[in-house]
Amino acid sequence: MSTNSQPGLFHPASAMDFLPLPQLREAQLVRLKAMVQRAYDRVTLFRQRMEERGLTPESLKSVEDIGKLPFTVKSDLRDAYPFGLFASPLAEIVRFHASSGTTGKPIVVAYTQEDVNDWSLAMLRSFAACGVHSGDIIQNAYGYGLFTGGLGAHYGAEALGASVIPISGGNTDRQIMILKDFGVTVICCTPSYFLHIIDRAGELGVNLKDLPLRAGVFGAEPWTESMRQRIQRESGIKAYDIYGLSEIVGPGVAMECQCQAGPHIFEDMFYPEIIDPQTGEVLADGQEGELVLTTLCKRAMPMLRYRTRDITALAADRCPCGRTLRRICRISRRSDDMLIIRGVNLFPSQIEAALLKVEGTLPHYQIIVDRDKGLDVVEVQVEVTAEFFSDTVGALERLQARISHSIESVTGLRAEVRLVAPRTLQRSEGKAKRVIDKRKM
Ligand code: DLL
């Protein structure tokens, strides 16, 4: 892989971004057939589901035939925990990542060496698309660990030949010191965390506009055009939107080019469809619905028509950059109840699972999400039994600590816990309103 990307120069790996459409569709079909064959041969769930529909890999004659294939959903990954959907033997797996499931167990994803190489290439193309090049100094403030953000961006930046600072998330004062002292030119983090960095830099008397920092690669959570404008106005950098999800690969499924007109999907690697989330019917370009993705070259864990739950539309009009890849419109919401808190996925059902592990709590709770100085904060209000509520302050504090600990061990998130008397939380007549999201974006 070449690493000779220079300012203003086209990176050779980006050639795939500009394939004429007939060639792109041809490449997709070849890859799709091989991928479906692999999934059919090696993953019981995929084979069973295809057999139920009377399908074999030979049933795919054109890319559009993908619509005949069964959907895959998050609970399929949970049910297969930890290794049930692997299409490669464990001996060929070089990396695991994991992300929140709807209950206590995470969902696990795996990569062969070739998968890691492909992912690095997708991330390289992502950086190149927004004008990042070798010679750039990239501060990577996505979390390193089971979350795909840190290592995903790291490998892509190295493949590009840029210099990476693997600082991971948190410790904002140190982030600002390094931004300044290392002459960082590009930062990667969640957009809400960068807003926090802007605020903190202001408090420390650091003017980000005086630094060489030029671009931000922001994603892992929903954000808005007005957040982009605010970031650009207050920090003087260009803010680019990057999209991805663990189940498909991690970051680098789609990335904005310098036109900032919505992330281009790397369609030669990830095949997108938009469906009506109620009926499953495939919708035309431009229509809003749920994004469904099929991996075209994953080996360890191929995904057939994975329902992302992200609501968006596909834009097929030509982008001025010349890329032939379709774009996704900003993801404004999800078709399930998943929240994203400081870049971490959270399902209300996980809080419920955490509470159930603690004696003395009632199944009545409410999650209040707010934003304090740009950072998401979560408060969980929990009703406790009358018996516990009349207990000593010390006993209540111990209960509170047990609940906090349980929530952190199930979700990985620290939440403020407030114990309330029985029958305090409002009962709803229909679906319980578990979440009050006060964040203004
Ligand atoms: O968030 C991967 C990632 C890391 C993407 C770093 C971009 C940058 P998960 O933790 O599995 O993976 O969460 C995936 O996050 O289904 C969306 O709901 C949401 N999401 C990710 N990027 C964006 C974005 C990573 N740019 C879930 N805009 C996805 C809106 C986003 N939502």
Side-chain angles (χ1 to χ4, degrees), residues 10-290:
F10 168 79
H11 192 286
S14 298
M16 288 303 274
D17 298 11
F18 299 88
L19 269 193
L21 279 183
Q23 266 168 269
L24 176 62
R25 298 285 169 252
E26 215 177 288
Q28 285 172 325
L29 183 60
V30 172
R31 288 182 169 184
L32 179 67
K33 282 183 170 170
M35 220 273 320
V36 171
Q37 184 74 54
R38 185 178 180 90
Y40 183 85
D41 290 343
R42 297 178 177 225
V43 184
T44 314
L45 178 84
F46 292 140
R47 186 189 195 102
Q48 275 172 353
R49 292 224 172 127
M50 284 177 64
E51 279 173 357
E52 279 160 23
R53 285 168 178 72
L55 297 172
T56 63
E58 289 73 45
S59 315
L60 287 173
K61 304 272 183 264
S62 69
V63 175
E64 288 70 38
D65 284 342
I66 197 170
K68 296 179 182 166
L69 294 173
F71 291 120
T72 309
V73 293
K74 208 180 199 65
S75 60
D76 292 326
L77 279 87
R78 184 193 62 207
D79 297 344
Y81 178 86
F83 301 156
L85 290 185
F86 291 5
S88 299
L90 273 180
E92 286 173 21
I93 306 293
V94 298
R95 177 94 65 81
F96 295 107
H97 282 284
S99 133
S100 306
T102 45
T103 56
K105 297 270 191 214
I107 56 133
V108 178
V109 293
Y111 308 75
T112 64
Q113 185 58 58
E114 281 171 293
D115 290 334
V116 170
N117 297 347
D118 282 344
W119 183 16
S120 307
L121 184 61
M123 274 308 301
L124 183 165
R125 287 164 66 184
S126 300
F127 281 124
C130 70
V132 179
H133 48 77
S134 65
D136 267 317
I137 302 181
I138 303 182
Q139 183 155 327
N140 186 13
Y142 283 121
Y144 281 66
L146 286 177
F147 176 56
T148 52
L151 285 172
H154 184 108
Y155 275 58
E158 281 191 355
L160 184 67
S163 319
V164 199
I165 307 169
I167 190 164
S168 199
N171 202 340
T172 311
D173 289 7
R174 191 176 54 167
Q175 299 270 0
I176 294 165
M177 178 184 78
I178 290 188
L179 273 177
K180 215 166 66 159
D181 295 351
F182 286 29
V184 169
T185 52
V186 177
I187 185 159
C188 303
C189 61
T190 59
S192 60
Y193 188 56
F194 192 69
L195 280 176
H196 181 64
I197 291 182
I198 292 178
D199 288 347
R200 184 66 190 145
E203 285 167 13
L204 296 173
V206 175
N207 187 352
L208 296 177
K209 289 185 181 162
D210 294 340
L211 308 183
L213 190 64
R214 172 185 96 240
V217 176
F218 300 127
E221 64 183 10
W223 55 310
T224 58
E225 195 48 41
S226 69
M227 262 170 95
R228 177 184 351 239
Q229 295 311 328
R230 192 182 144 202
I231 288 174
Q232 297 194 151
R233 199 174 51 242
E234 294 184 12
S235 67
I237 70 168
K238 286 274 179 212
Y240 297 102
D241 192 7
I242 185 164
Y243 171 80
L245 64 163
S246 322
E247 295 88 326
I248 296 302
V249 76
V253 172
M255 174 66 195
E256 272 188 336
C257 66
Q258 286 175 291
C259 303
Q260 297 181 306
H264 288 275
I265 303 191
F266 295 109
E267 286 192 68
D268 53 308
M269 304 176 97
F270 317 104
Y271 187 82
E273 298 168 274
I274 297 288
I275 62 161
D276 177 323
Q278 257 74 50
T279 64
E281 180 203 348
V282 178
L283 303 178
D285 287 345
Q287 284 189 275
E288 190 184 79
E290 180 181 334

